[in-house]
Amino acid sequence: MMSGRTSAVVAGLCGALFVAYCIYFDRKRRSDPRFKEKLRERRRKQNLSSDKSGLARLPDLKDAEAVQKFFLEEIQLGEELLSQGDFEKGVDHLTNAIAVCGQPQQLLQVLQQTLPPPVFQMLLTKLPTISQSILNKPPGCRLWSLGQERRIINSHPLSEDDVE
């Protein structure tokens, strides 16, 4: 059986070996001639994927089939992300779906019944930004007005408990 001092020495030695291992592979990685190139490529891909999460990919709103497909995809993505615990991105996708929905009041009523109250409040707070993005599109692109959205938000005021 090992004594306390021997255990401490072994643990210290293992820690030192781990740090040396990390330093060795970090130097090896950084000395790779393609390291910066790979790093730039990875960052570029990450930036592209984060840009895709917003309203940049709204479908042609005159094409009913494309709008319906977009709506269903956004609802599905939102539900998946919410079930995985990624509330921020899930709510973003649900607000995109609300933006193209022909009957946003009914959709909001369903979401209010199915989503936890804090997540629903997060959704309501994101609606103005999504509406502003739609208002900045060409005039024919907007599907529902800011006035309707204000009524929805005003009917569900935030309490102090809802705000972190």
Side-chain angles (χ1 to χ4, degrees), residues 69-153:
K69 181 180 178 198
F70 176 79
F71 173 78
L72 293 173
E73 286 174 356
E74 291 298 300
I75 291 287
Q76 183 180 9
L77 271 172
E79 288 176 349
E80 286 176 14
L81 289 167
L82 288 174
S83 69
Q84 294 171 2
D86 191 355
F87 298 118
E88 190 75 24
K89 288 183 181 176
V91 166
D92 284 344
H93 286 286
L94 290 176
T95 52
N96 287 344
I98 292 169
V100 298
C101 182
Q103 301 172 339
Q105 283 82 10
Q106 285 88 356
L107 179 58
L108 282 170
Q109 287 172 352
V110 170
L111 291 173
Q112 183 179 17
Q113 293 170 359
T114 58
L115 294 176
V119 176
F120 185 72
Q121 290 298 331
M122 188 187 310
L123 179 81
L124 289 178
T125 57
K126 288 203 180 233
L127 283 176
T129 52
I130 218 79
S131 181
Q132 281 300 336
S133 298
I134 292 173
L135 287 174
N136 293 335
K137 299 280 182 193
C141 289
R142 190 166 35 109
L143 291 182
W144 61 295
S145 71
L146 186 61
Q148 289 174 323
E149 172 199 295
R150 281 195 182 129
R151 278 198 308 272
I152 293 166
I153 292 174

